[in-house]
């Protein structure tokens, strides 16, 4: 639905997007990108590249640092209400992987995605991530998929054809009430756990490659005490569990990733957890070690490695 030539409200002179359609609560734009693989830096610098099929994210999580990288301040304030589809992502990926192999004999490692969710709602229609997986099957990179969406199960037929694959499913709390406060537009905890089980159950190791699966509890959000043990036990479905403390990073510095005000306000509602956050974190971590004896438990950056 190519309606308007310029997007009302978000034009800043430098960034003018054509509104293509409305999907769920978000305005959707499409744009060709210059490149699709970006050099991985910071927290995930052990990878060669990050790959973000979309810019913006419909899940609009309250704590999302990626909002800081929005094209302009209005879009940053409206994080979750817009998505830019990188229309030529598959074509670019193929070109860039061909180029990689012209000067490298090893496979590249790719982290998908660092500032968007590759399985956010619009993916159901666009199938951009699915197209990228088809390219990955041919060019065989070492791939990590970071998502909080059960939609990933749609692609089990392709996932099982990728030899070096780790799936990181984000689940930040064991309490639905907390999930709805901090990330009201995201899938339920139950649906995410079910997706992990489904991937494990449906891939026959004789016919396909079973991916490594992590649950990333990063950053750890409050879990009500009466729900904590059940939540931790439910994480036994993963091979690895990664935890990380909630940090209020770089507040007030607009060009640097930071925790959004929305999440900081919520920490007041959950004062029973945040007033002594370190203790809450350590108590959670201790119970994790007590209850999940057969699962690899890692903290922070080291939990995000492929191996
Ligand atoms: S799913 Fe990830 S990228 Fe999307 S809003 Fe939430 S934290 Fe940000």
């Amino acid at each position: 639905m190519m309606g308007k030539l310029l997007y009302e409200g978000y034009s800043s002179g430098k960034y003018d997007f054509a509104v293509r359609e409305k999907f769920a609560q978000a305005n959707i734009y499409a744009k060709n990108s210059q490149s699709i693989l970006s050099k991985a830096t910071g927290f995930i610098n052990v990878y060669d590249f990050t790959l973000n099929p979309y810019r913006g994210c419909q899940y609009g999580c309250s704590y999302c640092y990626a909002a800081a990288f929005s094209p302009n301040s209005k879009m940053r304030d409206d994080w979750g209400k817009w998505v830019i589809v990188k229309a030529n992502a598959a074509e670019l990926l193929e070109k860039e992987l061909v180029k990689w192999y012209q000067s490298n004999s090893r496979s590249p490692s790719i982290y998908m995605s660092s500032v968007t969710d590759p399985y956010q709602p619009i993916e159901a229609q666009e199938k951009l991530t699915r197209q990228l997986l088809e390219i990955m099957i041919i060019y065989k990179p070492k791939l990590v998929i970071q998502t909080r969406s059960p939609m990933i199960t749609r692609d089990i037929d392709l996932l099982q054809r990728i030899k070096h694959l780790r799936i990181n499913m984000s689940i930040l709390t064991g309490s639905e009430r907390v999930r709805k406060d901090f990330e009201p537009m995201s899938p339920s905890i139950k649906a995410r756990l079910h997706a992990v089980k489904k991937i494990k159950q449906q891939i026959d190791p004789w016919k396909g490659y079973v991916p490594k699966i992590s649950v990333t509890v990063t950053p750890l959000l409050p879990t009500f005490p009466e729900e904590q043990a059940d939540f931790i036990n439910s994480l036994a479905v993963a091979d690895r569990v990664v935890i990380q403390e909630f940090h209020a990073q770089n507040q007030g510095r607009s060009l640097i990733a930071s925790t959004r005000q929305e999440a900081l306000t919520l920490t007041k509602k959950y004062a029973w957890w945040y007033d002594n956050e370190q203790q809450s974190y350590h108590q959670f971590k201790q119970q994790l070690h007590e209850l999940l004896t057969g699962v690899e438990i890692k903290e922070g950056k080291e939990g995000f490695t492929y191996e």
Side-chain angles (χ1 to χ4, degrees):
M1 280 165 261
M2 289 285 279
K4 300 165 186 152
L5 286 177
L6 294 181
Y7 175 60
E8 74 273 19
Y10 294 151
S11 275
S12 67
K14 195 171 168 204
Y15 296 101
D16 291 332
F17 304 114
V19 176
R20 199 174 65 180
E21 64 188 312
K22 197 103 174 140
F23 188 92
Q25 298 304 309
N27 285 326
I28 308 296
Y29 312 91
K31 198 170 184 285
N32 278 343
S33 286
Q34 296 296 317
S35 63
I36 195 70
L37 293 173
S38 307
K39 187 174 161 35
T41 55
F43 208 67
I44 42 171
N45 62 5
V46 290
Y47 295 89
D48 293 305
F49 300 111
T50 55
L51 197 178
N52 292 283
Y54 300 98
R55 189 161 184 195
C57 184
Q58 284 168 281
Y59 289 142
C61 305
S62 63
Y63 47 81
C64 183
Y65 64 86
F69 305 118
S70 302
N72 57 47
S73 58
K74 174 101 173 75
M75 292 174 95
R76 185 173 63 232
D77 294 345
D78 278 358
W79 183 248
K81 296 181 187 150
W82 56 272
V83 179
I84 303 164
V85 178
K86 296 183 184 173
N88 58 344
E91 191 189 316
L92 285 177
L93 180 64
E94 179 150 35
K95 262 193 208 157
E96 291 174 29
L97 285 173
V98 166
K99 197 168 162 212
W100 166 271
Y101 284 111
Q102 282 166 357
S103 46
N104 294 280
S105 51
R106 68 170 176 90
S107 308
S109 53
I110 298 177
Y111 184 92
M112 177 172 84
S113 297
S114 55
V115 288
T116 190
D117 192 310
Y119 286 103
Q120 61 183 293
I122 190 65
E123 169 62 19
Q125 177 179 292
E126 292 297 320
K127 299 191 176 75
L128 198 53
T129 297
R130 189 171 167 85
Q131 289 172 39
L132 297 174
L133 293 181
E134 280 167 354
I135 309 279
M136 309 272 194
I137 290 169
I138 303 169
Y139 292 93
K140 304 182 173 50
K142 206 177 262 185
L143 177 66
V144 170
I145 301 177
Q146 182 80 47
T147 184
R148 67 196 59 220
S149 174
M151 198 197 304
I152 192 172
T153 59
R154 178 200 67 187
D155 292 342
I156 288 177
D157 60 328
L158 299 181
L159 298 173
Q160 65 181 345
R161 296 172 61 197
I162 300 174
K163 189 171 179 185
H164 299 291
L165 173 65
R166 179 179 283 281
I167 295 170
N168 287 351
M169 178 62 77
S170 301
I171 308 177
L172 282 60
T173 169
S175 301
E176 267 298 288
R177 286 173 284 173
V178 178
R179 198 271 306 158
K180 284 180 186 160
D181 272 343
F182 281 85
E183 36 175 279
M185 294 186 283
S186 72
S188 71
I189 300 164
K190 206 170 148 191
R192 300 183 214 184
L193 286 167
H194 181 70
V196 170
K197 278 187 208 140
K198 194 168 167 186
I199 292 169
K200 289 212 150 182
Q201 283 165 0
Q202 291 199 352
I203 299 183
D204 177 347
W206 293 99
K207 294 184 184 152
Y209 301 112
V210 181
K212 300 167 193 272
I213 299 192
S214 309
V215 170
T216 50
V217 192
T218 55
L220 174 67
L221 296 181
T223 291
F224 286 101
E226 64 276 17
E227 292 174 316
Q228 189 163 295
D230 282 352
F231 173 49
I232 290 176
N233 283 323
S234 73
L235 300 179
V237 69
D239 308 313
R240 177 191 287 177
V241 172
V242 189
I243 52 168
Q244 186 190 317
E245 280 177 276
F246 179 98
H247 292 297
Q249 307 158 31
N250 298 308
Q251 280 310 294
R253 298 177 64 184
S254 61
L255 293 175
I256 294 179
S258 57
T259 304
R260 297 172 67 215
Q261 188 54 46
E262 232 178 301
L264 297 175
T265 305
L266 277 168
T267 59
K268 307 225 168 29
K269 176 171 177 183
Y270 290 95
W272 56 268
W273 175 279
Y274 287 107
D275 277 356
N276 201 341
E277 193 188 348
Q278 277 207 329
Q279 190 185 311
S280 307
Y281 178 81
H282 286 292
Q283 192 269 335
F284 186 93
K285 183 174 138 185
Q286 197 180 353
Q287 198 170 27
L288 202 57
H289 281 280
E290 281 164 16
L291 297 177
L292 282 193
T293 46
V295 177
E296 182 184 25
I297 296 168
K298 293 206 168 194
E299 270 187 280
K301 187 176 174 179
E302 71 164 49
F304 283 85
T305 56
Y306 170 83
E307 300 303 340

